[in-house]
């Protein structure tokens, strides 16, 4: 997508032929800063600190992390160490394990001397694939939005989204936001309700920044406003992303998604989840018990960071000293609350049957 008229992806090979560059998402929305990764440790730090985030981009960064590791040392023991270090950075997004498995399986069969070049090629392929997958999610999602909008006599079409599942969460296009960009570009008058998404405010900071850059009308709302808006007919459709979707169609996404799905169900608002194939975990049937939920540092709850009136970046504490906090980063929305899944292969029911129809080969392989 464009930033100040220049096309960017979220991760790309640097000019030096070895390093990788990323958009540092911890500096957005107030500063657009390109950050360089040169070592395996840099890649691990970038994922764990959330300079990069979002399930597809975490997977892509892990693939690049393997390439950086192979540049330093391509012996088998280092390959395994690199994989384990990257795997330990964040537990919930299954794209991380998927990307590491995909790259490692090839590297293990590759001569030591060729491992670095092969890992680089695989990382580039994985990134290109992610862009194409998300482009297709956008196409299928556009048809869905068009269908709903056509029933409304040309009125502004209000879509609610949670967290950031835009191009910043992927290599390009995004998952939940891809259909929205396509609808906007196609002339459908979309307006987006952007949940701020405490504690790290990916909605307020990142989704709003992206939508503004592309010219899509939107308003940031507090996380608790969605139910009220739905009760008053102000939400026509919800589209969210996901970090891991169980084979049953249960959807794990940023904390608070489940409450939005409950409100949508109570108010008859269609609730869709956009996801690329690699986000499906075919090994898990029950999302509620099977998906590990990341618990992050309590500081993200007790403190808020942002731009101070002076223009400097600052962090302020918002709860009393000595009071403890817990920081659950994701929740699971049961498939019964999900109207449908928007994938690169089309839209399906949130169920094993639905997913198996679109991904027959993967569903068979999982048994
Ligand atoms: O903790 P994050 O920012 O990595 O959260 C992941 C997400 O971006 C969201 O949960 C998103 O909705 C799904 S990833 C496309």
């Amino acid at each position: 997508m464009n930033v100040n008229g220049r096309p960017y992806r979220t991760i790309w090979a640097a000019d030096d032929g070895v390093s990788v560059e990323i958009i540092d998402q911890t500096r957005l929305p107030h500063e657009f800063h390109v950050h360089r990764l040169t070592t395996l440790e840099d890649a691990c730090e970038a994922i764990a600190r959330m300079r990069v985030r979002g399930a597809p981009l975490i997977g892509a960064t892990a693939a690049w992390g393997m390439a950086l590791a192979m540049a330093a040392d391509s012996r088998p023991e280092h390959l395994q160490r690199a994989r384990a270090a990257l795997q330990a950075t964040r537990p919930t997004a299954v794209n991380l394990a998927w990307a590491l498995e995909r790259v490692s399986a090839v590297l293990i069969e590759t001569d030591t001397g060729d491992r670095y070049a092969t890992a680089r090629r695989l990382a580039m392929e994985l990134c290109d694939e992610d862009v194409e997958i998300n482009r297709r999610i956008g196409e299928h999602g556009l048809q869905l939005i068009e269908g709903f909008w056509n029933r409304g006599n040309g009125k502004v079409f209000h879509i609610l989204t949670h967290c950031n599942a835009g191009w910043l969460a992927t290599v390009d296009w995004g998952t939940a936001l891809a259909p929205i960009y396509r609808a906007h570009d196609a002339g459908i008058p979309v307006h987006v309700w952007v949940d701020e998404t405490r504690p790290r405010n990916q909605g307020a900071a990142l989704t709003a920044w992206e939508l503004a850059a592309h010219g899509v009308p939107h308003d940031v709302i507090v996380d608790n406003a969605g139910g009220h808006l739905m009760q008053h007919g102000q939400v026509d459709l919800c589209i969210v992303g996901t970090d891991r979707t169980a084979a049953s169609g249960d959807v794990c996404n940023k904390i608070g998604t489940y409450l939005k799905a409950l409100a949508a169900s109570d108010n008859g608002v269609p609730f869709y989840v956009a996801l690329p194939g690699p986000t499906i975990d075919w090994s898990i049937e029950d999302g509620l018990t099977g998906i590990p939920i990341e618990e992050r540092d309590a500081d993200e709850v007790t403190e808020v960071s942002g731009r101070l009136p002076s223009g400097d970046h600052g962090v302020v504490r918002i709860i009393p000293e000595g009071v403890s906090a817990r920081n659950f980063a994701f929740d699971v929305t049961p498939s019964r609350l999900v109207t449908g899944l928007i994938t690169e292969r089309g839209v399906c029911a949130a169920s094993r049957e639905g997913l198996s129809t679109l991904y027959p080969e993967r569903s068979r392989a999982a048994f």
Side-chain angles (χ1 to χ4, degrees), residues 38-160:
T38 309
T39 63
L40 165 68
E41 291 69 31
D42 290 346
C44 290
E45 192 263 1
I47 299 173
R49 271 212 60 208
M50 293 172 69
R51 294 185 197 279
V52 288
R53 34 144 306 279
L57 179 55
I58 289 172
T61 309
W64 273 112
M66 289 299 287
L68 295 173
M70 293 303 95
D73 180 350
S74 56
R75 287 172 300 166
E77 56 276 24
H78 189 58
L79 199 163
Q80 296 305 351
R81 262 203 310 276
R83 179 179 180 167
L86 286 159
Q87 183 59 56
T89 51
R90 293 194 70 189
T92 304
V94 76
N95 306 57
L96 175 62
W98 169 83
L100 289 171
E101 169 58 27
R102 177 164 152 167
V103 172
S104 304
V106 177
L107 292 184
I108 223 77
E109 302 294 332
T110 305
D111 288 343
T112 313
D114 297 333
R115 283 206 177 121
Y116 168 55
T118 305
R120 242 181 109 76
R121 177 178 54 75
L122 291 172
M124 285 182 191
E125 275 173 20
L126 193 140
C127 287
D128 289 345
E129 217 176 274
D130 183 68
V131 176
E132 178 55 18
I133 284 175
N134 299 325
R135 193 188 64 73
R136 289 199 206 158
I137 289 175
E139 258 168 28
H140 295 298
L142 166 62
Q143 286 169 25
L144 189 85
I145 292 174
E146 252 170 352
F148 282 118
W149 178 65
N150 282 334
R151 296 176 212 161
N153 301 322
K155 286 200 306 246
V156 172
F157 191 73
H158 298 282
I159 302 174
L160 182 140

